[in-house]
Every structure is written in structure tokens, then in C-alpha cells.
Amino acid sequence: MNWNFQEIQERVEEETQGILSAQDLEAFRIKYLGRKGMIQEIFASLAGLPDEQKPLVGKGANELRSRITAVIEKKKTEIREKENQARHPLMDITLPGVAPLAGHRHILTQTIDEICGVFERLGFTVQEGPEIETEFNNFTALNIAVDHPSRDAFDTFYLDKPDPKNKGRYLLLRSHTSPAQIRIMQKHKPPLAVVVPGRVYRPDAVDASHSFMFHQVEGLLVDRHVKFSDLKGLLTVFCKRLFGDKIKMRFRPHFFPFTEPSAEVDISCYICDGKGWLVHSPSAKMSLPRDPKGSKGCSVCGRKGWLEIMGCGMVHPHVFEAAGYPQNRYTGLAFGLGVERIAMLKYGVQDIRIFFENDVRFLEQF
Ligand code: DAH
């Protein structure tokens, strides 16, 4: 038999056009590649051909087989896509898309960044200290003696890990950011000005204003001739930048073992404007400060008119000594503030627990 491959090829192409379904394709496959299909037939006929024709016909049959295989693969994909489209009609790309849920920084992170930002613009650098501390850094170096009563409120979560540098002593979760002062002074010589944000841990029962974990920002500035007036000036600028120019401030004498003298800083309550009482004005739909007749006490400051926002003081000489600084060469100022407390005051949040509950309805408001 004589095989005209060109003609066969043309016929194959023509038939390909007519393949519209999976059944058509299967019939086509059987016709050419099946056990009794044309390719088999061609190979079977080889035996009866003169020797010189055999290689030509064999080659033609092989080529034809690969072309048909390729056509079948191509058609298979086409048919599958057509079926898919029929099942899922084309999407309408003009419809508005689904807006992705974009997150943002947590309100406490925003507050930390804001606090540190104010100090950075005043020339401070931001550093961090570890949450796992030694007893030495957390207490002893900060002039808090083992039997000092102020240690009680601070005595904290001890780890099951001995302090590698201090036999018989254990590591603990720091109860304030102040130990970072020691680390920084051990590493750097004055002049230095740093703020240290971070988490701290205390064995406090959880309620609306207490949490066993919260955040602080510590500040330390050491140089020759740093004075208490520098501390007052610095913190006044800070409070005005954070709470607005209108607020008043006062420095109240206080005790901290690691500073001498020490003070607590109060700002005038921005809700009652430092008056301690409020009067309700229905027309203004808000509480306005007025005279005490018919007024009610301000709940934000508890009628005091003042809000305590941080502790501060001049670095105690014992702290310099513990950090390895020479005696009488430097003076320094230090301060520490609670981030949650600042955020609660600034945004009128009433319960500290809500910061840590990860409720998006709360978090997305900021
Ligand atoms: N570490 C103190 C605390 O947690 C806060 C503090 C007070 C830090 C006075 C200071 C400071 O640096 O000078 O209560």
C-alpha cells in the first residue's frame, strides 16, 4: 500500500477543526492512535513494502504519530478550559474589589513611638534592654537593698535560671526599665542621653488599673554639670509636646532609691482643666468646667485636678558607682513613665486590660 503522508496530514488538520467535545477527541484518538488505528496499520504494512521504502514510511509514521499526539494534548486543554468557563462564567472585572484588611501599629506602640519621638527630637537616642535581668541590675545597682521595703512591690517573677555572674542569685523578669540605665552606663561613657522603651513585669493582681505586664519608657542623661533645672526644663517640654501647651505641671517631692533628690511629675487634668470638677452642659453635649455650684467631681483625676504621669530625679551617686563611673565626676537625670497610663490619659481609656485583649473593635479606633 502507498501512504501519502501529506494528504493524511491535511485530512488530520481538517478533522481537528471538527473536534468540539471530549467524545469527539476520543474518537479521533482511536481512529489514529488506537490498536486498530491508522498508525498501527501503517506499521503493519511495513513488512510488505520493498526495503528501500521501509525507512521512509517508518519515519513518516513516527512523525505523524507525534503530530497527532500534540494535537490531542492541545485540544484536551482547550476543551477543559471551555468546560470550566461554562461552569464558572467569566468574572466581572469592573466590580469593586474586596478591600484587604490592613493592620496598623498597636496603640501602645504608637504611644511609645510618640514618646520616644519627642525625646529623639531633643537629641536622645533610643535603646533597648533585655526583659530577663539580673538581681544586681534590677535592684542592687539601683541602690535598692535586699531588705529595702520598696523592693516588695517590685519583687517579681524569678526564673529557674541561675545568674551566671553571681553565685546563688537567680535571673528574673525586670520589674522596671531602670536596670537598662546600668547596662548603658557600663557600656558607654558620658555624655549620654537615651530613652529605653520596653515591657516590665510585676506580681500585681490584675484589675482595671493594674497588669502583671506593662510598658515603661526610661530616660537617662549623664554629663558633667547636669542640674535639677535641666530635668525640670526637659520634662516640661516633653509634657507640653505630648499633652499640649495649655497644661500646667508640678514636681512633687518623692522617694526613689536610685535618684536623689526625686520627684513625681503631675500634669493638670485636661478633662476638668485642673479644677477637679465638671458641670454638665446639655446644649454643648459635653462636660464643661464652670463654678462648683451644681458641678460633679471629675472622675479622670478623682477631683484632684492633677494627674501623676512619671517619676524622676537626679541619678544617685551609688548608681554611678555600681555602673563603674568615677566618683564625683558626673551628674545625671533620670525619669521613668508608664506607657499604658499615658495612653489611658491621652485617649480616655478606662481599663488597662483592654490593651491586651486584641479586640479589633477597640484597636481599630486608633
Ligand atoms: N523605675 C521607677 C518605677 O518603675 C520609675 C522611675 C522613677 C524611673 C524615677 C526613674 C526615676 O528613672 O528617676 O516605678
Side-chain angles (χ1 to χ4, degrees), residues 154 175-178 181 202 216 218-219 256 258-259 311-313 334-337:
F154 268 20
S175 50
H176 49 172
T177 42
S178 304
Q181 291 188 21
R202 293 203 189 158
Q216 289 187 330
E218 187 79 16
F256 294 107
F258 33 90
T259 43
C312 64
F335 53 90
L337 48 89

Side-chain angles (χ1 to χ4, degrees), residues 12 38 169 173 175 226 262 301:
V12 163
M38 185 184 280
R169 295 285 162 198
L173 296 180
S175 50
V226 179
S262 308
C301 62

Side-chain angles (χ1 to χ4, degrees), residues 185 188-193 221-224 320 325-326 330-331:
M185 289 193 278
H188 304 280
K189 272 196 174 158
L192 53 86
L221 183 150
V222 186
D223 201 348
R224 286 168 186 263
F320 283 146
Y325 279 0
Y330 303 113
T331 54

